[in-house]
Amino acid sequence: MDARLLDILVCPICKANLEYRKPQSELVCKPCKLAFPVRDGIPIMLQDEARPLTTTDDA
């Protein structure tokens, strides 16, 4: 994930900054408790594509 792209991407729901988790290839929004997938280097910023974070994801 390009650092410049990560600087300008925000959550499409609450507009909060996102955290990139490389091992899972996801962009995480902690306030919304959602993880948006990154496929082939392209962030999929759709609420329907996001998965809810679980308590084990918060670590």
Side-chain angles (χ1 to χ4, degrees):
M1 172 71 48
D2 185 6
R4 293 176 295 167
L5 180 61
L6 190 55
D7 285 341
I8 62 171
L9 281 177
V10 295
C11 175
I13 300 159
C14 71
K15 308 303 184 226
N17 290 330
L18 299 169
E19 173 187 323
Y20 180 56
R21 295 191 180 168
K22 189 173 184 173
Q24 296 90 358
S25 192
E26 295 177 326
L27 291 168
V28 173
C29 176
K30 289 184 179 182
C32 291
K33 297 185 188 308
L34 291 174
F36 297 93
V38 177
R39 297 186 190 126
D40 298 323
I42 301 169
I44 311 299
M45 304 303 292
L46 300 171
Q47 187 173 1
D48 292 343
E49 292 287 327
R51 71 172 181 85
L53 294 177
T54 62
T55 54
T56 57
D57 290 323
D58 291 336

